[in-house]
Amino acid sequence: MSAVFAPAKSHSVIHESLRIAGEKVARDRVIEVRHPYSGELVATVPKAMLEDVKRALRIARDYRSKLTRHDRYRILMKAGEIVAARRDEIARLITLESGLCLKDTQYEVGRASDVMLFAANQALVDDGQVFSCDLTAHGKSRKVYTLKEPLLGAITAITPFNHPLNQVIHKIAPAVATNNRVVLKPSEKTPLAAYLIADILYEAGLPPEMLSVVTGDPAEIADELLTSPDVDLVTFTGGVTIGKYIAAKAVYKRQILELGGNDPIIVMEDADLEEAATLAVSGSYKNSGQRCTAIKRMLVQESVADRFVELLVQKTRALKYGDPFDPAMDMGTVIDEPAAIHFEKVVNEAIAQGAKLLVGNVRCGALYSPTVLDHVRPEMTVVREETFGPVSPVIRFKTLDEAIQIVNGTAYGLSSSLCTNRLDIITRVVQELHVGSVNVREVPGYRLEMTPFGGIKDSGLGYKEGVLEAMKSFCNSKTYSLPW
Ligand code: NAD
């Protein structure tokens, strides 16, 4: 670990403005953005007034995009190319606001380019269907056609801090591809990448009416974003508490809610333990453990648990963490000091209840070390609730029945990872886990930006994200029939 609280780099402070249909609007009241590693002020973003939000939503509702499929393809491809060309600079901006290390943020920028590539290509695909009507004895010589149309009203998009660019682009790119209009409210903790991607999209030719970005105090502006008659759909990624607040508030709006996770890796006795431990480490510590699909519980069959834990400890110790701007680091900080203090607290609580600390639990400001806890029991807070940080709690189990019961025993149901080569086990786990995905011999977070993604139970309503699914949910389906 390197020294903390030394000014990491000399950055001039950025003073952001709202983007209301492309217009830059400054406000006297601001929110400060601080670099989590050094605590230094790196930017201010405006606190939008209620009137700003109303204006952004009204413009979005009233605007009717005339962009052809080819236009949308060109805009998204161009924006993706700009992002790819400015990868290092954008990665540094995300590191500055989030404390994520450069390895993580460079990876994130690459993912964001993929999202735009997939959305651009999907804009070219006509997803209409044709149904012949002379299929039964009482049929007719007609055809029913389907047509996907953008929503009449605006889309409200609200995003979390953990992937400041990728969470945002997963909502904007499918909206652009389907000719919708979005008002985005990114996390106040990491708002800078959101403003930057809006500018890149405008530069790539997006009509500014199709995207506004607002930041502010949720207590002042969130309800307007959720309840305004100008809004048809709310797409939200974030924690369960706010997700359920939105579910109750945004009455008669279409709701896409991608909430928290408590994803397990299950390691069976036949597993390649070297591979399992490598997956466990990358699944647990990448992005400082702040992924909805990070591995938050390690369920290991008792007969191989000692060897697995030995490898896990070895690989955890090998991880370099510290100054997020040091390119050699594998992990930077978590989002802020209160988050790190919370991890320390739940880990200490587990130790007091009999868990064994093998590595870590060292905190310095917002820097929290990769931490391995053995002999954790399912009822301990560190695994019963979502621990959104670099903690690896190992739970030992005897039988597959027991493992399945433990996995299904929390409120969450996002994703999962299974290490085995036995088809009978794979079959049971795929069928019996109450989750949105199962990845065999891969981390729970593995996916393409295009494939369906999302959870059930407290992790979400079962409507998926990923470019294809988001495009579907952002459209109204109209049918029309013709007499031939
Ligand atoms: P959060 O729920 O605290 O905040 C998310 C967003 O909601 C922020 O933009 C915040 O300003 C906004 N918000 C705050 N109050 C609001 C209100 N009353 N109405 C509407 N919006 C309001 O989440 P976070 O701490 O930024 O992110 C971490 C959480 O996100 C974790 O639980 C994580 O698992 C989850 N997450 C889920 C997914 C997924 O796809 N399932 C992906 C990433 C993160």
Side-chain angles (χ1 to χ4, degrees):
M1 183 184 18
S2 12
V4 196
F5 296 130
K9 302 276 166 281
S10 48
H11 298 280
S12 50
V13 176
I14 303 163
H15 295 290
E16 271 299 356
S17 305
L18 307 171
R19 304 290 190 279
I20 299 191
E23 183 194 337
K24 289 191 175 181
V25 177
R27 288 287 169 238
D28 291 340
R29 294 183 316 148
V30 295
I31 298 167
E32 291 187 342
V33 181
R34 292 185 176 273
H35 181 47
Y37 181 68
S38 64
E40 69 193 302
L41 180 70
V42 293
T44 65
V45 296
K47 269 192 187 170
M49 299 191 309
L50 198 54
E51 194 42 52
D52 297 322
V53 175
K54 286 186 174 173
R55 187 158 77 88
L57 290 173
R58 207 176 313 125
I59 294 170
R61 180 208 59 193
D62 289 345
Y63 187 74
R64 290 287 170 267
S65 168
K66 297 277 189 296
L67 296 177
T68 64
R69 288 179 183 275
H70 183 239
D71 294 336
R72 288 172 258 156
Y73 167 82
R74 291 285 297 270
I75 290 166
L76 287 163
M77 285 301 284
K78 183 156 180 209
E81 281 157 16
I82 297 172
V83 166
R86 292 173 62 182
R87 177 179 146 158
D88 286 348
E89 172 205 340
I90 299 172
R92 293 183 76 80
L93 184 75
I94 301 174
T95 292
L96 192 64
E97 63 180 337
S98 67
L100 294 169
C101 70
L102 287 174
K103 282 185 190 170
D104 284 336
T105 56
Q106 277 169 353
Y107 177 64
E108 174 167 352
V109 177
R111 287 184 65 190
S113 293
D114 287 356
V115 174
M116 284 183 272
L117 175 75
F118 288 135
N121 282 289
Q122 202 55 32
L124 299 178
V125 178
D126 192 314
D127 46 7
Q129 291 172 288
V130 186
F131 298 84
S132 292
C133 298
D134 57 348
L135 304 183
T136 63
H138 55 274
K140 278 187 176 181
S141 176
R142 291 183 70 80
K143 279 190 168 62
V144 176
Y145 299 80
T146 67
L147 184 64
K148 297 279 186 197
E149 295 182 322
L151 304 177
L152 293 175
I155 292 178
T156 285
I158 302 179
T159 50
F161 70 78
N162 68 317
H163 284 299
L165 180 64
N166 204 44
Q167 297 292 358
V168 161
I169 202 66
H170 258 290
K171 301 195 183 304
I172 299 177
V176 171
T178 49
N179 254 339
N180 276 287
R181 294 86 58 226
V182 180
V183 176
L184 167 74
K185 196 207 75 57
S187 168
E188 290 68 38
K189 293 176 184 166
T190 56
L192 305 180
Y195 282 118
L196 179 68
I197 192 68
D199 289 345
I200 288 174
L201 280 156
Y202 301 144
E203 182 189 335
L206 186 74
E209 296 86 348
M210 289 177 73
L211 176 63
S212 290
V213 184
V214 293
T215 40
D217 179 352
E220 294 174 16
I221 61 169
D223 283 1
E224 186 63 24
L225 287 161
L226 304 177
T227 62
S228 162
D230 294 338
V231 172
D232 276 7
L233 181 147
V234 178
T235 172
F236 170 80
T237 301
V240 176
T241 310
I242 295 171
K244 288 190 174 176
Y245 175 83
I246 291 172
K249 196 84 192 170
V251 176
Y252 208 66
K253 313 283 186 203
R254 204 173 297 172
Q255 300 180 0
I256 317 291
L257 304 173
E258 299 294 344
L259 310 182
N262 200 346
D263 293 355
I265 182 170
I266 304 175
V267 182
M268 301 300 298
E269 60 190 356
D270 73 296
D272 172 341
L273 295 182
E274 181 67 36
E275 178 186 82
T278 301
L279 291 173
V281 163
S282 81
S284 188
Y285 307 134
K286 257 195 169 206
N287 226 55
S288 302
Q290 301 167 125
R291 298 182 71 176
C292 52
T293 52
I295 293 174
K296 297 181 182 122
R297 301 178 282 166
M298 300 183 178
L299 279 67
V300 188
Q301 199 155 20
E302 213 166 58
S303 49
V304 293
D306 285 345
R307 177 64 188 142
F308 172 84
V309 166
E310 200 180 309
L311 289 167
L312 174 67
V313 166
Q314 230 174 58
K315 290 176 193 292
T316 300
R317 285 195 202 282
L319 219 77
K320 295 194 199 73
Y321 73 101
D323 183 349
F325 277 105
D326 179 345
M329 291 301 133
D330 302 304
M331 207 183 87
T333 68
V334 297
I335 189 62
D336 51 25
E337 188 168 7
I341 291 172
H342 174 71
F343 307 142
E344 212 177 11
K345 182 175 145 250
V346 290
V347 167
N348 285 336
E349 184 189 300
I351 296 167
Q353 292 169 352
K356 201 167 162 207
L357 176 69
L358 299 181
V359 192
N361 199 26
V362 177
R363 188 185 66 78
C364 191
L367 201 58
Y368 183 76
S369 64
T371 296
V372 178
L373 270 182
D374 198 0
H375 299 285
V376 172
R377 294 191 308 278
E379 67 275 13
M380 293 178 180
T381 312
V382 70
V383 287
R384 199 187 65 246
E385 291 175 6
E386 178 185 36
T387 301
F388 207 56
V391 181
S392 296
V394 176
I395 302 171
R396 295 164 178 241
F397 68 87
K398 287 196 175 67
T399 64
L400 182 59
D401 282 341
E402 193 188 343
I404 291 172
Q405 197 190 358
I406 294 170
V407 171
N408 289 342
T410 75
Y412 300 92
L414 191 54
S415 188
S416 59
S417 161
L418 171 65
C419 293
T420 184
N421 284 313
R422 281 181 46 183
L423 193 56
D424 57 333
I425 295 177
I426 295 172
T427 313
R428 273 199 65 192
V429 166
V430 169
Q431 286 173 347
E432 294 180 36
L433 289 197
H434 302 160
V435 294
S437 354
V438 178
N439 286 327
V440 178
R441 297 178 53 190
E442 245 311 342
V443 292
Y446 182 78
R447 57 164 165 153
L448 288 183
E449 308 305 327
M450 183 167 62
T451 50
F453 166 80
I456 55 173
K457 297 166 71 182
D458 273 4
S459 297
L461 293 173
Y463 300 112
K464 300 270 187 181
E465 266 203 341
V467 168
L468 293 185
E469 295 297 312
M471 285 176 67
K472 272 189 223 160
S473 54
F474 289 179
C475 287
N476 289 329
S477 269
K478 182 180 274 176
T479 64
Y480 59 98
S481 71
L482 298 175
W484 57 80

mmCIF file of all heavy atoms in Angstrom, residues 37-65:
data_model
loop_
_atom_site.group_PDB
_atom_site.id
_atom_site.type_symbol
_atom_site.label_atom_id
_atom_site.label_comp_id
_atom_site.label_asym_id
_atom_site.label_seq_id
_atom_site.Cartn_x
_atom_site.Cartn_y
_atom_site.Cartn_z
ATOM 1 N N TYR A 37 -9.052 8.785 -3.285
ATOM 2 C CA TYR A 37 -7.742 8.396 -2.730
ATOM 3 C C TYR A 37 -7.095 9.524 -1.944
ATOM 4 O O TYR A 37 -6.550 9.318 -0.869
ATOM 5 C CB TYR A 37 -6.834 7.958 -3.876
ATOM 6 C CG TYR A 37 -5.472 7.500 -3.439
ATOM 7 C CD1 TYR A 37 -5.311 6.320 -2.715
ATOM 8 C CD2 TYR A 37 -4.337 8.241 -3.760
ATOM 9 C CE1 TYR A 37 -4.050 5.888 -2.321
ATOM 10 C CE2 TYR A 37 -3.071 7.819 -3.368
ATOM 11 C CZ TYR A 37 -2.945 6.642 -2.652
ATOM 12 O OH TYR A 37 -1.697 6.226 -2.260
ATOM 13 N N SER A 38 -7.145 10.744 -2.492
ATOM 14 C CA SER A 38 -6.444 11.850 -1.851
ATOM 15 C C SER A 38 -7.391 12.780 -1.103
ATOM 16 O O SER A 38 -6.954 13.583 -0.289
ATOM 17 C CB SER A 38 -5.712 12.668 -2.919
ATOM 18 O OG SER A 38 -6.662 13.242 -3.795
ATOM 19 N N GLY A 39 -8.661 12.684 -1.401
ATOM 20 C CA GLY A 39 -9.631 13.595 -0.791
ATOM 21 C C GLY A 39 -9.674 14.959 -1.453
ATOM 22 O O GLY A 39 -10.471 15.815 -1.074
ATOM 23 N N GLU A 40 -8.826 15.176 -2.466
ATOM 24 C CA GLU A 40 -8.780 16.525 -3.059
ATOM 25 C C GLU A 40 -10.029 16.793 -3.899
ATOM 26 O O GLU A 40 -10.613 15.868 -4.494
ATOM 27 C CB GLU A 40 -7.519 16.713 -3.903
ATOM 28 C CG GLU A 40 -7.503 15.906 -5.170
ATOM 29 C CD GLU A 40 -6.137 15.859 -5.842
ATOM 30 O OE1 GLU A 40 -5.598 16.917 -6.165
ATOM 31 O OE2 GLU A 40 -5.623 14.740 -6.042
ATOM 32 N N LEU A 41 -10.398 18.088 -3.954
ATOM 33 C CA LEU A 41 -11.543 18.500 -4.767
ATOM 34 C C LEU A 41 -11.141 18.419 -6.228
ATOM 35 O O LEU A 41 -10.148 19.012 -6.639
ATOM 36 C CB LEU A 41 -11.923 19.939 -4.402
ATOM 37 C CG LEU A 41 -13.108 20.513 -5.173
ATOM 38 C CD1 LEU A 41 -14.419 19.834 -4.752
ATOM 39 C CD2 LEU A 41 -13.217 22.024 -4.968
ATOM 40 N N VAL A 42 -11.918 17.681 -7.031
ATOM 41 C CA VAL A 42 -11.555 17.573 -8.449
ATOM 42 C C VAL A 42 -12.579 18.240 -9.353
ATOM 43 O O VAL A 42 -12.273 18.608 -10.476
ATOM 44 C CB VAL A 42 -11.340 16.101 -8.876
ATOM 45 C CG1 VAL A 42 -10.128 15.534 -8.181
ATOM 46 C CG2 VAL A 42 -12.558 15.237 -8.621
ATOM 47 N N ALA A 43 -13.813 18.384 -8.858
ATOM 48 C CA ALA A 43 -14.835 18.989 -9.716
ATOM 49 C C ALA A 43 -16.012 19.454 -8.891
ATOM 50 O O ALA A 43 -16.202 19.023 -7.741
ATOM 51 C CB ALA A 43 -15.325 17.967 -10.748
ATOM 52 N N THR A 44 -16.795 20.327 -9.511
ATOM 53 C CA THR A 44 -18.117 20.621 -8.964
ATOM 54 C C THR A 44 -19.126 20.399 -10.083
ATOM 55 O O THR A 44 -18.817 20.615 -11.261
ATOM 56 C CB THR A 44 -18.241 22.090 -8.467
ATOM 57 O OG1 THR A 44 -18.114 22.966 -9.582
ATOM 58 C CG2 THR A 44 -17.215 22.408 -7.415
ATOM 59 N N VAL A 45 -20.300 19.906 -9.703
ATOM 60 C CA VAL A 45 -21.395 19.778 -10.673
ATOM 61 C C VAL A 45 -22.596 20.528 -10.109
ATOM 62 O O VAL A 45 -22.746 20.631 -8.883
ATOM 63 C CB VAL A 45 -21.763 18.300 -10.957
ATOM 64 C CG1 VAL A 45 -20.610 17.570 -11.609
ATOM 65 C CG2 VAL A 45 -22.213 17.572 -9.705
ATOM 66 N N PRO A 46 -23.447 21.053 -10.986
ATOM 67 C CA PRO A 46 -24.551 21.874 -10.480
ATOM 68 C C PRO A 46 -25.605 21.053 -9.745
ATOM 69 O O PRO A 46 -25.821 19.881 -10.062
ATOM 70 C CB PRO A 46 -25.183 22.460 -11.748
ATOM 71 C CG PRO A 46 -24.285 22.098 -12.865
ATOM 72 C CD PRO A 46 -23.439 20.964 -12.442
ATOM 73 N N LYS A 47 -26.257 21.730 -8.813
ATOM 74 C CA LYS A 47 -27.491 21.178 -8.245
ATOM 75 C C LYS A 47 -28.622 21.733 -9.089
ATOM 76 O O LYS A 47 -28.931 22.933 -9.011
ATOM 77 C CB LYS A 47 -27.668 21.675 -6.807
ATOM 78 C CG LYS A 47 -27.049 20.773 -5.775
ATOM 79 C CD LYS A 47 -27.508 21.169 -4.383
ATOM 80 C CE LYS A 47 -26.748 20.363 -3.351
ATOM 81 N NZ LYS A 47 -26.946 20.843 -1.997
ATOM 82 N N ALA A 48 -29.228 20.875 -9.886
ATOM 83 C CA ALA A 48 -30.305 21.343 -10.760
ATOM 84 C C ALA A 48 -31.477 21.826 -9.923
ATOM 85 O O ALA A 48 -31.738 21.309 -8.827
ATOM 86 C CB ALA A 48 -30.757 20.205 -11.666
ATOM 87 N N MET A 49 -32.204 22.820 -10.461
ATOM 88 C CA MET A 49 -33.437 23.247 -9.816
ATOM 89 C C MET A 49 -34.574 22.423 -10.412
ATOM 90 O O MET A 49 -34.451 21.880 -11.518
ATOM 91 C CB MET A 49 -33.653 24.734 -10.066
ATOM 92 C CG MET A 49 -32.509 25.561 -9.496
ATOM 93 S SD MET A 49 -32.847 27.317 -9.477
ATOM 94 C CE MET A 49 -33.361 27.657 -11.112
ATOM 95 N N LEU A 50 -35.663 22.387 -9.695
ATOM 96 C CA LEU A 50 -36.811 21.614 -10.177
ATOM 97 C C LEU A 50 -37.189 22.061 -11.597
ATOM 98 O O LEU A 50 -37.515 21.237 -12.461
ATOM 99 C CB LEU A 50 -37.978 21.827 -9.214
ATOM 100 C CG LEU A 50 -39.101 20.808 -9.292
ATOM 101 C CD1 LEU A 50 -38.591 19.390 -9.153
ATOM 102 C CD2 LEU A 50 -40.134 21.110 -8.203
ATOM 103 N N GLU A 51 -37.119 23.372 -11.830
ATOM 104 C CA GLU A 51 -37.488 23.913 -13.136
ATOM 105 C C GLU A 51 -36.573 23.378 -14.248
ATOM 106 O O GLU A 51 -37.022 23.167 -15.383
ATOM 107 C CB GLU A 51 -37.462 25.459 -13.080
ATOM 108 C CG GLU A 51 -38.136 26.148 -14.247
ATOM 109 C CD GLU A 51 -39.469 25.493 -14.666
ATOM 110 O OE1 GLU A 51 -40.370 25.262 -13.819
ATOM 111 O OE2 GLU A 51 -39.585 25.183 -15.875
ATOM 112 N N ASP A 52 -35.295 23.146 -13.930
ATOM 113 C CA ASP A 52 -34.358 22.585 -14.926
ATOM 114 C C ASP A 52 -34.818 21.188 -15.346
ATOM 115 O O ASP A 52 -34.799 20.832 -16.525
ATOM 116 C CB ASP A 52 -32.948 22.473 -14.329
ATOM 117 C CG ASP A 52 -32.363 23.821 -13.961
ATOM 118 O OD1 ASP A 52 -32.596 24.791 -14.705
ATOM 119 O OD2 ASP A 52 -31.672 23.903 -12.912
ATOM 120 N N VAL A 53 -35.217 20.409 -14.346
ATOM 121 C CA VAL A 53 -35.628 19.032 -14.628
ATOM 122 C C VAL A 53 -36.922 19.029 -15.447
ATOM 123 O O VAL A 53 -37.061 18.296 -16.429
ATOM 124 C CB VAL A 53 -35.800 18.250 -13.305
ATOM 125 C CG1 VAL A 53 -36.343 16.853 -13.562
ATOM 126 C CG2 VAL A 53 -34.479 18.186 -12.562
ATOM 127 N N LYS A 54 -37.846 19.893 -15.060
ATOM 128 C CA LYS A 54 -39.129 19.962 -15.779
ATOM 129 C C LYS A 54 -38.882 20.348 -17.239
ATOM 130 O O LYS A 54 -39.483 19.787 -18.160
ATOM 131 C CB LYS A 54 -40.053 20.987 -15.128
ATOM 132 C CG LYS A 54 -40.639 20.492 -13.825
ATOM 133 C CD LYS A 54 -41.658 21.475 -13.289
ATOM 134 C CE LYS A 54 -42.341 20.891 -12.056
ATOM 135 N NZ LYS A 54 -43.217 21.767 -11.366
ATOM 136 N N ARG A 55 -37.972 21.311 -17.435
ATOM 137 C CA ARG A 55 -37.705 21.772 -18.803
ATOM 138 C C ARG A 55 -37.069 20.635 -19.629
ATOM 139 O O ARG A 55 -37.462 20.383 -20.768
ATOM 140 C CB ARG A 55 -36.775 22.994 -18.766
ATOM 141 C CG ARG A 55 -36.582 23.637 -20.131
ATOM 142 C CD ARG A 55 -36.140 25.090 -20.001
ATOM 143 N NE ARG A 55 -34.742 25.237 -19.646
ATOM 144 C CZ ARG A 55 -33.735 25.293 -20.521
ATOM 145 N NH1 ARG A 55 -33.995 25.224 -21.826
ATOM 146 N NH2 ARG A 55 -32.493 25.428 -20.125
ATOM 147 N N ALA A 56 -36.115 19.955 -19.020
ATOM 148 C CA ALA A 56 -35.449 18.854 -19.739
ATOM 149 C C ALA A 56 -36.475 17.779 -20.132
ATOM 150 O O ALA A 56 -36.472 17.277 -21.262
ATOM 151 C CB ALA A 56 -34.356 18.255 -18.866
ATOM 152 N N LEU A 57 -37.371 17.450 -19.206
ATOM 153 C CA LEU A 57 -38.367 16.397 -19.482
ATOM 154 C C LEU A 57 -39.357 16.856 -20.559
ATOM 155 O O LEU A 57 -39.756 16.069 -21.431
ATOM 156 C CB LEU A 57 -39.122 16.024 -18.202
ATOM 157 C CG LEU A 57 -38.303 15.273 -17.140
ATOM 158 C CD1 LEU A 57 -39.112 15.120 -15.855
ATOM 159 C CD2 LEU A 57 -37.864 13.897 -17.647
ATOM 160 N N ARG A 58 -39.741 18.125 -20.502
ATOM 161 C CA ARG A 58 -40.703 18.634 -21.485
ATOM 162 C C ARG A 58 -40.107 18.585 -22.901
ATOM 163 O O ARG A 58 -40.741 18.138 -23.847
ATOM 164 C CB ARG A 58 -41.110 20.071 -21.117
ATOM 165 C CG ARG A 58 -42.493 20.470 -21.600
ATOM 166 C CD ARG A 58 -42.858 21.874 -21.113
ATOM 167 N NE ARG A 58 -42.574 22.079 -19.692
ATOM 168 C CZ ARG A 58 -41.805 23.065 -19.198
ATOM 169 N NH1 ARG A 58 -41.232 23.939 -19.983
ATOM 170 N NH2 ARG A 58 -41.616 23.187 -17.898
ATOM 171 N N ILE A 59 -38.847 19.025 -23.010
ATOM 172 C CA ILE A 59 -38.186 19.004 -24.330
ATOM 173 C C ILE A 59 -38.121 17.554 -24.835
ATOM 174 O O ILE A 59 -38.427 17.267 -25.991
ATOM 175 C CB ILE A 59 -36.763 19.614 -24.245
ATOM 176 C CG1 ILE A 59 -36.840 21.098 -23.912
ATOM 177 C CG2 ILE A 59 -36.001 19.386 -25.548
ATOM 178 C CD1 ILE A 59 -35.499 21.741 -23.573
ATOM 179 N N ALA A 60 -37.752 16.652 -23.928
ATOM 180 C CA ALA A 60 -37.620 15.238 -24.328
ATOM 181 C C ALA A 60 -38.965 14.672 -24.774
ATOM 182 O O ALA A 60 -39.057 13.967 -25.776
ATOM 183 C CB ALA A 60 -37.065 14.434 -23.155
ATOM 184 N N ARG A 61 -40.004 15.013 -24.045
ATOM 185 C CA ARG A 61 -41.333 14.495 -24.404
ATOM 186 C C ARG A 61 -41.768 15.032 -25.770
ATOM 187 O O ARG A 61 -42.301 14.304 -26.611
ATOM 188 C CB ARG A 61 -42.366 14.893 -23.360
ATOM 189 C CG ARG A 61 -43.771 14.368 -23.685
ATOM 190 C CD ARG A 61 -44.855 15.251 -23.105
ATOM 191 N NE ARG A 61 -44.790 16.623 -23.573
ATOM 192 C CZ ARG A 61 -45.465 17.630 -23.022
ATOM 193 N NH1 ARG A 61 -46.225 17.431 -21.973
ATOM 194 N NH2 ARG A 61 -45.378 18.859 -23.503
ATOM 195 N N ASP A 62 -41.529 16.322 -26.012
ATOM 196 C CA ASP A 62 -42.052 16.960 -27.227
ATOM 197 C C ASP A 62 -41.258 16.618 -28.483
ATOM 198 O O ASP A 62 -41.777 16.703 -29.590
ATOM 199 C CB ASP A 62 -42.060 18.489 -27.063
ATOM 200 C CG ASP A 62 -43.141 18.935 -26.080
ATOM 201 O OD1 ASP A 62 -44.032 18.106 -25.785
ATOM 202 O OD2 ASP A 62 -43.078 20.083 -25.602
ATOM 203 N N TYR A 63 -40.001 16.260 -28.324
ATOM 204 C CA TYR A 63 -39.156 16.076 -29.514
ATOM 205 C C TYR A 63 -39.485 14.758 -30.211
ATOM 206 O O TYR A 63 -39.644 13.718 -29.580
ATOM 207 C CB TYR A 63 -37.676 16.094 -29.108
ATOM 208 C CG TYR A 63 -36.761 16.085 -30.299
ATOM 209 C CD1 TYR A 63 -36.602 17.224 -31.083
ATOM 210 C CD2 TYR A 63 -36.066 14.931 -30.657
ATOM 211 C CE1 TYR A 63 -35.774 17.220 -32.201
ATOM 212 C CE2 TYR A 63 -35.232 14.916 -31.761
ATOM 213 C CZ TYR A 63 -35.094 16.064 -32.529
ATOM 214 O OH TYR A 63 -34.278 16.054 -33.634
ATOM 215 N N ARG A 64 -39.605 14.817 -31.527
ATOM 216 C CA ARG A 64 -39.818 13.599 -32.325
ATOM 217 C C ARG A 64 -38.616 13.430 -33.239
ATOM 218 O O ARG A 64 -38.415 14.232 -34.152
ATOM 219 C CB ARG A 64 -41.107 13.713 -33.164
ATOM 220 C CG ARG A 64 -42.387 13.677 -32.336
ATOM 221 C CD ARG A 64 -42.662 12.254 -31.794
ATOM 222 N NE ARG A 64 -43.737 12.238 -30.809
ATOM 223 C CZ ARG A 64 -43.549 12.329 -29.487
ATOM 224 N NH1 ARG A 64 -42.351 12.413 -28.983
ATOM 225 N NH2 ARG A 64 -44.573 12.313 -28.661
ATOM 226 N N SER A 65 -37.854 12.407 -32.986
ATOM 227 C CA SER A 65 -36.628 12.221 -33.766
ATOM 228 C C SER A 65 -36.952 11.739 -35.179
ATOM 229 O O SER A 65 -37.794 10.865 -35.370
ATOM 230 C CB SER A 65 -35.741 11.189 -33.078
ATOM 231 O OG SER A 65 -34.709 10.804 -33.948
#
